[in-house]
């Protein structure tokens, strides 16, 4: 277990959402939801210490770009130290709530994938709704949102913004996790 992760969890349970980083098994399963042959722009919310990030960077094709958005200062510093020298990876210290302005400010194309490690079950309802609404709009009809959760209690929240949700699970994570692969609902936006 990462001491940094545990320490940050204790300081801000609602935003960190877990006592330990995700397992390599969960990282592989999350990354397996991405078609790296077509992924030109991937955005990652809440990477924490970067377990998913490492797997994504390892699989990205030439010409693809990864935008990482992390609010936690300690996690941001760790990610920046690791990825700041990579031209195809941009690390941003901000909240996923601001994804629309981040996207507009950088004049980015529509993302192909948005990957999330955010603890939606622990976030305030208005924050979750704002993030999911902006995410669905940015992805358009062709983009895919991939997140993991430790419970399916918030499935109805995801269904409010995405009509096609495929759920799988990874038992080799502590705790076991559900992976949700979501496509947008146009008429709800």
């Amino acid at each position: 277990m990462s001491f940094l992760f545990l320490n940050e969890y204790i300081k801000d349970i609602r935003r960190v959402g877990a006592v330990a980083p995700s397992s390599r098994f969960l990282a592989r399963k999350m990354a397996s939801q991405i078609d790296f042959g077509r992924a030109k722009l991937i955005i990652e919310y809440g990477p924490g210490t970067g377990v998913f990030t490492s797997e994504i960077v390892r699989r990205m094709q030439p010409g693809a770009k990864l935008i990482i958005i992390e609010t936690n200062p300690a996690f941001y510093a760790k990610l920046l130290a690791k990825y700041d020298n990579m031209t195809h990876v941009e690390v941003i210290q901000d909240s996923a709530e601001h994804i629309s302005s981040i996207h507009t400010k950088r004049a980015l194309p529509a993302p192909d994938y948005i990957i999330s490690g955010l603890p939606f079950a622990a976030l305030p309802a208005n924050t979750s709704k704002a993030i999911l609404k902006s995410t669905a709009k940015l992805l358009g009809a062709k983009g895919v949102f991939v997140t993991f959760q430790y419970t399916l209690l918030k499935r109805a929240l995801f269904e409010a913004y995405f009509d096609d949700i495929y759920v799988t699970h990874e038992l080799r994570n502590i705790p076991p996790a559900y992976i949700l692969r979501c496509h947008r609902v146009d008429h709800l936006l």
Side-chain angles (χ1 to χ4, degrees):
M1 177 173 18
S2 164
F3 176 74
L4 172 63
F5 209 96
L6 179 60
N7 187 48
E8 295 306 308
Y9 173 78
I10 291 167
K11 288 193 314 192
D12 194 355
I13 292 170
R14 288 186 74 107
R15 291 201 179 266
V16 176
V19 296
S22 299
S23 70
R24 70 181 186 277
F25 303 108
L26 182 56
R28 289 177 189 150
K29 194 162 258 185
M30 288 284 286
S32 75
Q33 304 300 310
I34 300 171
D35 177 356
F36 287 95
R38 79 166 190 93
K40 298 298 179 206
L41 176 61
I42 302 168
I43 297 173
E44 183 181 8
Y45 298 158
T49 56
V51 176
F52 299 162
T53 311
S54 295
E55 190 68 22
I56 291 167
V57 169
R58 187 178 71 74
R59 295 184 185 199
M60 285 172 59
Q61 299 297 306
K65 183 168 181 73
L66 174 63
I67 305 289
I68 306 168
I69 301 171
E70 176 58 60
T71 61
N72 181 288
F75 293 156
Y76 168 76
K78 181 177 176 105
L79 294 163
L80 192 63
K82 186 171 183 178
Y83 296 109
D84 194 40
N85 64 337
M86 296 184 180
T87 58
H88 61 291
V89 178
E90 183 177 357
V91 183
I92 300 168
Q93 185 176 11
D94 205 333
S95 169
E97 288 178 272
H98 305 132
I99 186 57
S100 293
S101 61
I102 291 167
H103 186 265
T104 301
K105 181 179 177 183
R106 286 165 176 74
L108 297 168
D112 300 296
Y113 293 89
I114 296 180
I115 308 301
S116 174
L118 298 177
F120 285 99
L123 293 175
N126 61 333
T127 301
S128 294
K129 289 175 184 177
I131 291 169
L132 291 171
K133 184 176 183 179
S134 295
T135 297
K137 282 184 178 181
L138 277 180
L139 287 168
K142 296 180 182 178
V144 178
F145 177 62
V146 181
T147 188
F148 82 94
Q149 301 293 295
Y150 297 122
T151 174
L152 292 178
L153 290 174
K154 294 289 183 174
R155 184 174 179 149
L157 174 65
F158 296 106
E159 289 172 344
Y161 300 95
F162 302 97
D163 64 347
D164 182 17
I165 299 176
Y166 171 75
V167 180
T168 186
H169 60 278
E170 178 53 65
L171 297 174
R172 296 170 294 176
N173 192 69
I174 299 175
Y178 294 95
I179 297 99
L180 293 84
R181 179 185 166 97
C182 311
H183 296 269
R184 184 178 129 163
V185 176
D186 289 328
H187 68 279
L188 293 178
L189 299 176

